[in-house]
Amino acid sequence: MISEKMEKAFNEQINKELFSEYLYLSMQAYFERMNLTGFTNWMTVQVQEEHAHAMGMYTYLNERGGKVELMAIDKPQTDWASPLDVFKHVLEHEQFVTSCINKLMDVAEEEKDRAALSFLDWYLKEQVEEENNVGGVLAKLELIGDDKHALLLLDKDLATRTFVAPVIG
Ligand code: OFO
């Protein structure tokens, strides 16, 4: 059985993962409006990943005898100044999510919930990977600047990203 405090913290994080999914879906729509199919694809994969992250916690909470309580998802931003602006936002958001996972682990420590701590270890590693991936695209966009040809080459590159369902926990 999971403690009430831990259950609440997991439900809050499920909401943040679903907000991430929503935010990236909004970014996907932005890139679709710009006809940047590779960037659109990159975001589609990101949306799927965030859904998997939320569902991983949903399943875990159920397995521990907790109650999944879905909350309202905030409206995400709908417009950005440029692809660079989008990726700055993504990195900022992922850094925020990393801090949330750290706080969730703090709660698990306070509650002496070693099972939750071990489960959350996967999320922590995933955040390191996400920040690294996003940082890589951001660095390329910074190099590209106003070069439209280089932007289209990057778009082609991002079209190759595929979703692999993660094995969580
Ligand atoms: Fe769920 O990792 Fe991004 O936010």
Side-chain angles (χ1 to χ4, degrees), residues 47-61:
V47 166
Q48 289 169 299
E49 288 208 345
E50 296 306 342
H51 188 71
H53 296 168
M55 291 311 292
M57 289 186 181
Y58 169 106
T59 304
Y60 181 74
L61 203 46

Side-chain angles (χ1 to χ4, degrees), residues 13 17 20 93-102 127:
Q13 190 60 34
E17 299 294 340
S20 301
H93 183 69
E94 286 305 326
Q95 286 165 344
F96 164 70
V97 172
T98 302
S99 73
C100 295
I101 299 290
N102 275 321
Q127 283 310 121

Side-chain angles (χ1 to χ4, degrees), residues 36 39 82-85 87 135-158:
L36 287 168
F39 280 92
S82 63
L84 177 66
D85 189 30
F87 273 84
V137 180
L138 181 58
K140 282 180 188 145
L141 283 168
E142 272 162 353
L143 274 175
I144 285 171
D146 290 331
D147 184 343
K148 292 218 164 45
H149 182 67
L151 183 71
L152 289 177
L153 283 178
L154 178 60
D155 188 54
K156 220 173 166 181
D157 190 33
L158 298 184

Side-chain angles (χ1 to χ4, degrees), residues 103-119:
K103 281 185 196 142
L104 193 51
M105 291 181 98
D106 287 346
V107 177
E109 260 171 20
E110 282 163 28
E111 295 295 288
K112 300 196 184 348
D113 190 337
R114 290 181 198 281
L117 264 179
S118 145
F119 172 75

